[in-house]
Amino acid sequence: MIEEKDVILREVQQLNELLKVLIRKVNDFESNNEASSIEEINVKLKNHFKFSIQELSEMPTENFILVVKNWNEVHHEKMIMLLYLLITKSTETIIPIDKEALIEKTLLLITLLDEKSKTYSIERVQLKNTLQQWS
């Protein structure tokens, strides 16, 4: 039982670190390496979460909920931040993403996290308000 918990804890930590790396990659976008950065993000998402940015944006809401409903709260938060940064960068640069679909998915993630979390987050409220203004 302890070994099983250790394995789950390690997996949670690995996914958390992966999401941190992807967030840093989006933050460090430069005009000359956007395409390769997006491709690298897509590959890592596909390997660890089984979807790319495009697949995520095209995923029906019901399927998306099934995929994310059992995620750890930290993964929800990091994925929200990753998607928010991608949306923000897509307005500043020429990133080929479906901004409206990603806004919808990010808002849904925020709602799911609000329902799951026992902690009130002003940052989440601000993100939600900003995303609602953009949609």
Side-chain angles (χ1 to χ4, degrees):
M1 186 70 160
I2 291 174
E3 186 175 314
E4 182 179 310
K5 286 182 181 179
D6 288 346
V7 169
I8 293 170
L9 181 61
R10 274 196 305 274
E11 181 68 21
V12 167
Q13 290 170 338
Q14 286 175 342
L15 290 176
N16 188 34
E17 288 304 311
L18 170 72
L19 288 167
K20 285 180 181 178
V21 166
L22 296 179
I23 288 168
R24 278 194 301 272
K25 183 153 279 306
V26 173
N27 271 330
D28 296 339
F29 269 178
E30 295 177 13
S31 59
N32 61 346
N33 72 351
E34 291 165 2
S36 64
S37 293
I38 288 290
E39 182 58 33
E40 185 178 341
I41 290 169
N42 278 329
V43 167
K44 288 183 179 185
L45 285 174
K46 189 83 169 163
N47 287 341
H48 294 284
F49 293 99
K50 308 299 183 235
F51 56 77
S52 66
I53 295 166
Q54 179 158 352
E55 290 168 339
L56 171 69
S57 63
E58 294 171 353
M59 191 181 298
T61 302
E62 304 80 35
N63 293 2
F64 181 68
I65 291 171
L66 289 174
V67 168
V68 302
K69 72 178 182 178
N70 293 324
W71 284 5
N72 179 291
E73 286 182 28
V74 174
H75 296 147
H76 276 269
E77 290 175 357
K78 299 294 185 206
M79 185 61 76
I80 289 166
M81 187 53 63
L82 175 65
L83 295 176
Y84 176 78
L85 288 171
L86 282 167
I87 293 163
T88 302
K89 293 291 184 171
S90 76
T91 60
E92 299 170 1
T93 61
I94 305 172
I95 301 174
I97 63 169
D98 183 348
K99 184 177 165 182
E100 291 301 317
L102 286 184
I103 289 173
E104 177 188 326
K105 296 299 189 304
T106 308
L107 286 169
L108 182 57
L109 270 176
I110 291 171
T111 301
L112 291 171
L113 182 56
D114 284 342
E115 291 171 1
K116 179 186 257 190
S117 179
K118 295 176 180 147
T119 306
Y120 179 78
S121 170
I122 292 175
E123 181 182 14
R124 276 199 311 264
V125 171
Q126 291 172 335
L127 283 174
K128 188 173 187 176
N129 290 338
T130 301
L131 291 168
Q132 287 172 335
Q133 289 174 356
W134 290 346
S135 62

